Amino acid sequence: MTPFGPQLVGETEKALGAVLARVLDDTGLAERQWVALRLAGQNDGRSELVGLISDRAHFADAERIVASLTDRGLISGNRLSPAGQRLLEELRTRVDSVAAPIWRELPPSDVAAAERLLNTVARRARSVLAEWES
């Protein structure tokens, strides 16, 4: 059993990333495009999408990712196109279906503790990044 820390978080992220890659296999989307598509789905169109992706996902190539999704007709302006919305909904359903056994029957108190802990780690990591960027 790997103790809690960067190695365990990394191993977990890699395993979940491999599951996601299998789900995305037949879509032609890479993981970074999936992340951008999800962020575009949360955007009301008022925020500049490239900046949102850069800020939230820390992708230096956000402009290229948005351009690739725009070229595929999945993004229009700063939001999802109807085709992008359909693909996002389809993929969310597939991800939920494949991932269900991973998350099923986790004790709610453990989920709440993990949520608090990971949000704290993420907040601290964003703070470190902000210091480097200033």
Side-chain angles (χ1 to χ4, degrees):
M1 183 184 237
T2 306
F4 182 78
Q7 182 177 343
L8 178 58
V9 172
E11 289 174 8
T12 303
E13 189 274 333
K14 295 298 184 206
L16 292 173
V19 170
L20 177 62
R22 291 281 179 100
V23 171
L24 297 177
D25 251 355
D26 66 343
T27 67
L29 292 177
E31 180 183 357
R32 294 164 85 77
Q33 291 171 311
W34 161 247
V35 170
L37 202 63
R38 290 195 57 193
L39 288 171
Q42 297 169 7
N43 194 14
D44 60 9
R46 291 184 289 220
S47 297
E48 194 260 330
L49 190 55
V50 170
L52 178 69
I53 292 167
S54 294
D55 291 345
R56 294 274 306 279
H58 304 284
F59 293 163
D61 60 344
E63 191 170 325
R64 185 187 59 75
I65 294 169
V66 170
S68 71
L69 294 172
T70 300
D71 290 347
R72 288 186 59 175
L74 301 174
I75 291 177
S76 178
N78 285 312
R79 57 188 338 165
L80 291 177
S81 68
Q85 185 64 45
R86 284 190 300 276
L87 180 60
L88 180 62
E89 290 170 11
E90 174 190 325
L91 287 173
R92 279 185 176 151
T93 299
R94 286 167 63 182
V95 167
D96 289 349
S97 170
V98 170
I102 297 169
W103 306 108
R104 184 180 312 129
E105 299 177 17
L106 292 173
S109 60
D110 289 352
V111 171
E115 183 178 344
R116 284 189 309 274
L117 183 64
L118 290 172
N119 274 304
T120 298
V121 170
R123 187 175 55 254
R124 289 176 180 179
R126 285 190 295 270
S127 177
V128 167
L129 286 171
E131 287 179 23
W132 279 342
E133 293 170 356
S134 60

